[in-house]
Amino acid sequence: MIVAEQKKISEIIEMVSPYRKVLVLGCGTCVKTCFAGGEDEVAVLASLLRLAFEKQGNSKEISEFTIERQCEDEFIQEAAEAIGRNEAVLSLACGAGVQDIARRFKNVPVLPGVNTTFVGVMEDRGLFTEECLCCGDCRLGQYGAVCVLTRCAKKLSNGPCGGSRNGKCEVNPETDCAWQLVIDRMRELGQLDSLREYIPPRDWRTSNAGGPRKLFREDMVA
Amino acid sequence: MTDGRPVVTLFYCVNALSRQTAQDLENAAEFEIRPVHMACSSMVKDVLLLKGFEAGADLVVVATCPPGQCQFIDGNSRARKRVERVRRLMDEAGLEGRRLIIIDRGLELEYAGILKEFESALE
């Protein structure tokens, strides 16, 4: 999932200050799962904003709405009426959602309420960790489904570096050594020998270094 | 409508206040107390605490069982974490987070003691 965290409330207050009617718009998929922008977070943030502006004597209308996904037109349309009633949208979706809402509603400022952080998983209750850089050239099959590009601090394609201690990374002792995980996994799979094979440097043209990437599926077009 | 007395929204676990204390609080002369009784204090959600303030409360209180004495194992510590988080958010928003308190002495604390806690929070 895409992991995000809510911006500081002081930053949000400053952003929405110029507008009299603001819609706090939640997204019910990734950011809901990481407790940053689902229905519950929308309710809390909207309530805080109402109380804060009321205390300032600043009369504002803060309303709430949550759709299933802010990155799909089908769901975005459900918010059209609510967006139309407001002067600005405070979107709690990831960066893609914010931009998609802005693309559909050209006359309404769309402001980001969260910082989109990474693509990851919920490793434990309340703990989210990054697991994918979206490099565009997945090699997980060679590494026992552990992404060394994301999870090794040195991004070694041919590891380990030799600096880990007790299975932890020397760069950050709180992080598991990705190469230790690779080796453990490959051993369990009985494929440890395959790590003897040299893996050539990555072709970074598939990453976003050359600007935004596009994916076109001709078979999906009428 | 309030009658000028400080308004207190009291979320309480039914195991944390005796029935008598809860009744006495509802009839307290010093405060207008709005009680919300719950099967466990962990049922209180972040937004409910804030809704208490939106509805005009001067003080929002969560009464839980003492640490280690929750019938549902960790309901009281969950409630405490929520209260602390909402208090931090309120401070960030300039809303005086000290107006949100937790009382975790369970049945040990009786009517007078609870009112004293309210008074000191509102000072």
Side-chain angles (χ1 to χ4, degrees):
Chain A
M1 80 181 113
I2 294 170
V3 178
E5 63 177 342
Q6 213 167 85
K7 283 180 175 289
K8 280 209 166 300
I9 187 81
S10 51
E11 185 183 345
I12 292 175
I13 288 173
E14 197 180 325
M15 259 194 301
V16 303
S17 280
Y19 308 101
R20 204 176 49 81
K21 293 170 89 174
V22 178
L23 175 69
V24 182
L25 185 61
C27 184
T29 309
C30 306
V31 290
K32 175 183 177 172
T33 311
C34 63
F35 313 114
E39 207 165 13
D40 290 353
E41 292 74 35
V42 165
V44 169
L45 183 58
S47 183
L48 276 168
L49 289 174
R50 279 191 289 269
L51 287 164
F53 286 119
E54 188 187 326
K55 193 179 176 208
Q56 290 175 8
N58 197 341
S59 160
K60 281 191 197 301
E61 236 178 74
I62 308 285
S63 48
E64 311 163 22
F65 199 70
T66 298
I67 55 176
E68 189 67 24
R69 274 195 282 287
Q70 289 189 30
C71 56
E72 267 188 61
D73 205 33
E74 183 187 344
F75 297 110
I76 291 174
Q77 290 311 322
E78 292 172 14
E81 207 183 310
I83 291 173
R85 286 195 299 266
N86 286 276
E87 292 174 7
V89 174
L90 176 68
S91 165
L92 298 193
C94 69
V98 172
Q99 293 179 68
D100 218 3
I101 296 286
R103 192 174 295 124
R104 299 295 188 280
F105 302 95
K106 298 196 185 306
N107 300 321
V108 184
V110 184
L111 311 163
V114 304
N115 292 320
T116 308
T117 316
F118 52 75
V119 173
V121 296
M122 182 155 67
E123 194 179 306
D124 204 346
R125 247 180 8 183
L127 174 66
F128 301 90
T129 50
E130 183 170 20
E131 302 231 321
C132 177
L133 279 187
C134 304
C135 70
D137 181 18
C138 190
R139 306 267 180 90
L140 282 170
Q142 288 171 301
Y143 299 113
V146 176
C147 181
V148 291
L149 191 66
T150 314
R151 301 172 69 182
C152 168
K154 299 172 187 178
K155 303 195 178 337
L156 293 181
S157 295
N158 297 276
C161 66
S164 68
R165 294 284 177 275
N166 302 318
K168 297 292 178 184
C169 175
E170 68 173 345
V171 175
N172 180 357
E174 286 182 10
T175 303
D176 289 331
C177 167
W179 270 98
Q180 183 72 58
L181 297 174
V182 171
I183 289 165
D184 291 347
R185 172 90 173 144
M186 293 302 258
R187 185 179 286 129
E188 277 171 19
L189 294 172
Q191 297 175 4
L192 197 56
D193 277 351
S194 69
L195 291 178
R196 292 183 192 282
E197 195 181 319
Y198 169 71
I199 297 172
R202 185 174 292 269
D203 178 353
W204 284 99
R205 283 175 298 185
T206 57
S207 78
N208 81 333
R213 294 164 282 182
K214 285 196 177 183
L215 179 69
F216 180 55
R217 284 277 303 265
E218 197 183 357
D219 55 315
M220 293 292 158
V221 182
Chain B
M1 287 296 289
T2 63
D3 54 15
R5 292 178 299 164
V7 176
V8 178
T9 299
L10 171 66
F11 294 94
Y12 69 96
C13 165
V14 289
N15 299 306
L17 289 186
S18 70
R19 192 177 291 264
Q20 185 60 52
T21 305
Q23 268 176 11
D24 291 346
L25 284 169
E26 281 188 48
N27 299 319
E30 300 90 330
F31 300 96
E32 180 188 328
I33 293 179
R34 297 171 180 173
V36 183
H37 70 277
M38 299 173 296
C40 174
S41 57
S42 66
M43 292 175 79
V44 76
K45 304 291 178 222
D46 304 15
V47 69
L48 301 180
L49 300 171
L50 292 165
K51 289 284 179 197
F53 290 111
E54 280 201 75
D58 298 293
L59 181 69
V60 172
V61 180
V62 180
T64 73
C65 298
Q69 291 183 31
C70 174
Q71 272 191 16
F72 303 99
I73 302 169
D74 59 1
N76 49 0
S77 60
R78 281 166 177 261
R80 173 169 288 282
K81 283 183 179 174
R82 286 190 195 131
V83 166
E84 285 168 357
R85 178 172 181 273
V86 173
R87 200 185 284 157
R88 182 175 53 75
L89 289 171
M90 288 178 69
D91 282 335
E92 278 177 29
L95 292 169
E96 298 172 284
R98 64 183 172 79
R99 293 191 297 136
L100 171 61
I101 63 167
I102 190 157
I103 297 176
D104 66 357
R105 275 181 282 166
L107 298 173
E108 177 201 310
L109 200 60
E110 290 182 350
Y111 177 72
I114 292 172
L115 290 192
K116 201 169 269 182
E117 296 268 355
F118 294 175
E119 280 160 11
S120 83
L122 282 166
E123 268 171 16

